[in-house]
Amino acid sequence: MHIQVGIIGAGPAGLLLARMLHLQGISSIILESRSRPYVEGRIRAGLLEQGSVDLLTETGMADRLYKEALVHEGIELLFDGQRHRIDITALTGRKVYIYGQQEVVKDMIAANLAAGVPILFEADAYEISGIEGDRATIRYRHEGKDEVLTCDYVAGCDGFHGISRDMIPAHLFKGHDRIYPYGWLGILANAAPTRDELLYCSHDNGFALFTMRSATVSRCYLQVAPDENVDNWSDDRIWSELEKRLGKHEGLTISTGEITQKSVTAMRSFVAEPMRHGRMFLAGDSAHIVPPTGAKGMNLAISDIYVLAKALVAFYKKNDASLFDSYGPTCLRRIWRAQHFSWWMTSMLHNSPEASPFDDKRRIAELYTVATSVAGQTLLAENYVGLPFEA
Ligand code: RFL
Ligand code: PHB
């Protein structure tokens, strides 16, 4: 089979690309190694920038989002026993949306399948070849058989553990990596959110984040060791630690409930360069990872695809291949800004086991600098709501 664009991965990146290409009459197919229920049930990100929501709206995939998403105009920073609200909307004129990534993914899968865009689930791509030549070939295993797909271009939207990134020859590839000495224990609970805005809390025991998925479902995160065993965390221990970290801050008590999901994620920053090699483009987590404190991962996947879809459309509609060369550099400008923001939020809010008492005091002073100055708050808010797609 031959198709214009072969897409590996049915995460937010691959699914959005397929949709944007379809709307311009460009054919694609998505190969996804996991099953549909697995992909639709995977609990991950929850915060969408206004620009991401605008793109989902333009591509006709935001109907349910507008009914179900929670629209947020501010966040609170909690540190040193105090609460400081940052009025994101007053400072930037923009808002953010709370809507689970798995809901975004469900909407995107439904839109693509309804339009006849093929998504092959449980189709594991294991080899990409020909990207330096006239046409690319993807070999994959589906329903117990080895299959071959040829395509003009390959979109490597296969996440951090995918195969695409490894196809860039070692002498051309550079990976920029930073590993943090902590991770997040994340839980989902049938409990009303503690507040109706997100609480980013820095405490002597470590960072905690109170976020949500709906009026009845809370999502909370606790800073833990990066290799922490989730089995060490009983439900009681989780609630008592959340209470300890949050409870120090005036007027707040947490509502508890049944915990329905628990997992530990290590934190890292990573950027792959280049993002294109011949006929293959990397997009989303296959090209970069951010620590989740800045809520940028899914949003960066979406902004990469905005730039990539534009380049493919220019080629197929106007025979203009020039945007292929600028794809990576355009994305990387925004990616590095998001990397900086994610690193900054992470370093400012977590207490590192490597920090000296001086570092800890300096870090709290930095939080005061940001929270008590309009300039500081604006810097945070502008980055939190997201920079323009082509910054
Ligand atoms: P995905 O979603 O990982 O999708 C890649 C897909 O490729 C498939 N795949 C293959 N398919 C076929 N053949 C192969 N060989 C394949 N190898 C892999 C995989 O099965 C998968 O379905 O990547 P994509 O599309 O680039 O999307 C990136 C986002 O998923 C990620 O950045 C976010 O979840 C990060 N993130 C957050 N991002 C935000 O924007 N806002 C947030 O609030 C936010 N919070 C978070 C987060 C990530 C977290 N974790 C779990 C790391 C909170 C957490 C805790
Ligand atoms: C989430 O809702 O899962 C979430 C929100 C904000 C973050 C990270 C995760 O910074």
Side-chain angles (χ1 to χ4, degrees):
M1 187 178 22
H2 185 85
I3 200 110
Q4 289 173 310
V5 182
I7 301 174
I8 309 179
L15 290 161
L16 177 62
L17 180 61
R19 175 72 181 167
M20 292 183 75
L21 295 179
H22 169 78
L23 293 173
Q24 295 293 329
I26 300 165
S27 68
S28 73
I29 182 169
I30 304 181
L31 306 175
E32 166 56 53
S33 56
R34 303 291 193 151
S35 68
R36 183 173 177 184
Y38 181 90
V39 172
E40 291 188 340
R42 195 163 41 192
I43 308 290
R44 281 190 168 175
L47 187 139
L48 286 165
E49 297 168 358
Q50 173 103 53
S52 300
V53 170
D54 292 346
L55 186 55
L56 296 177
T57 309
E58 281 161 33
T59 52
M61 299 194 290
D63 291 355
R64 195 164 64 95
L65 183 150
Y66 282 110
K67 287 189 207 118
E68 296 180 16
L70 304 169
V71 185
H72 283 196
E73 300 193 346
I75 60 169
E76 279 190 65
L77 296 181
L78 275 51
F79 59 92
D80 209 18
Q82 297 187 20
R83 297 164 52 186
H84 298 265
R85 180 168 188 269
I86 300 196
D87 192 331
I88 303 275
T89 303
L91 292 162
T92 64
R94 294 167 80 75
K95 297 174 182 173
V96 293
Y97 295 71
I98 293 291
Y99 190 64
Q101 179 171 325
Q102 76 280 15
E103 305 306 325
V104 175
V105 164
K106 277 183 211 160
D107 295 344
M108 289 179 165
I109 289 175
N112 277 303
L113 292 179
V117 176
I119 307 176
L120 300 189
F121 291 100
E122 298 178 71
D124 191 28
Y126 59 84
E127 188 188 284
I128 305 168
S129 55
I131 49 177
E132 290 163 351
D134 292 344
R135 64 164 45 181
T137 300
I138 305 173
R139 290 176 200 280
Y140 63 99
R141 200 159 171 83
H142 184 49
E143 295 176 344
K145 285 200 277 230
D146 290 312
E147 308 279 1
V148 180
L149 173 75
T150 62
C151 42
D152 301 341
Y153 293 99
V154 177
C157 302
D158 47 352
F160 187 64
H161 301 288
I163 60 165
S164 307
R165 194 171 59 243
D166 292 343
M167 301 297 148
I168 300 177
H171 69 283
L172 299 176
F173 180 82
K174 187 137 185 56
H176 308 274
D177 214 357
R178 185 189 182 95
I179 310 276
Y180 297 83
Y182 33 78
W184 279 12
L185 167 68
I187 63 148
L188 204 60
N190 293 325
T194 291
R195 299 275 296 167
D196 53 15
E197 291 184 334
L198 271 60
L199 306 173
Y200 289 83
C201 169
S202 177
H203 182 272
D204 292 346
N205 287 13
F207 171 77
L209 170 60
F210 293 79
T211 169
M212 65 210 65
R213 288 295 176 267
S214 69
T216 54
V217 176
S218 286
R219 176 96 167 126
C220 309
Y221 299 98
L222 279 169
Q223 177 185 344
V224 293
D227 54 354
E228 184 70 52
N229 182 349
V230 73
D231 297 334
N232 292 337
W233 288 82
S234 66
D235 293 7
D236 284 350
R237 182 175 176 205
I238 291 172
W239 289 124
S240 103
E241 190 59 33
L242 285 167
E243 182 70 55
K244 214 178 279 167
R245 295 187 195 183
L246 185 83
K248 202 177 158 194
H249 301 92
E250 344 105 47
L252 290 181
T253 40
I254 51 172
S255 51
T256 61
E258 181 203 5
I259 296 181
T260 55
Q261 197 257 356
K262 288 181 206 177
S263 61
V264 172
T265 316
M267 308 252 267
R268 76 190 304 157
S269 303
F270 173 77
V271 180
E273 293 185 73
M275 289 175 65
R276 171 197 172 197
H277 181 64
R279 296 182 169 272
M280 185 190 73
F281 301 90
L282 302 179
D285 276 17
S286 70
H288 41 77
I289 294 282
V290 282
T293 327
K296 291 286 165 244
M298 174 168 51
N299 293 296
L300 280 179
I302 290 173
S303 58
D304 286 356
I305 294 303
Y306 172 84
V307 181
L308 179 54
K310 210 164 139 179
L312 287 163
V313 169
F315 173 72
Y316 282 110
K317 297 285 168 186
K318 298 189 201 140
N319 206 20
D320 171 8
S322 63
L323 296 183
F324 288 156
D325 289 334
S326 56
Y327 165 68
T330 301
C331 292
L332 283 162
R333 276 193 292 276
R334 188 175 197 271
I335 290 161
W336 276 111
R337 299 277 304 270
Q339 286 290 355
H340 172 250
F341 178 67
S342 305
W343 164 85
W344 178 53
M345 287 285 279
T346 302
S347 327
M348 186 165 64
L349 285 159
H350 292 69
N351 52 2
S352 168
E354 291 160 6
S356 67
F358 175 89
D359 296 331
D360 286 332
K361 299 258 185 206
R362 186 210 55 75
R363 190 172 62 74
I364 299 301
E366 184 178 9
L367 280 162
Y368 275 114
T369 299
V370 172
T372 61
S373 133
V374 175
Q377 292 183 17
T378 307
L379 177 68
L380 191 154
E382 282 173 352
N383 284 277
Y384 194 78
V385 294
L387 300 177
F389 281 172
E390 292 171 294

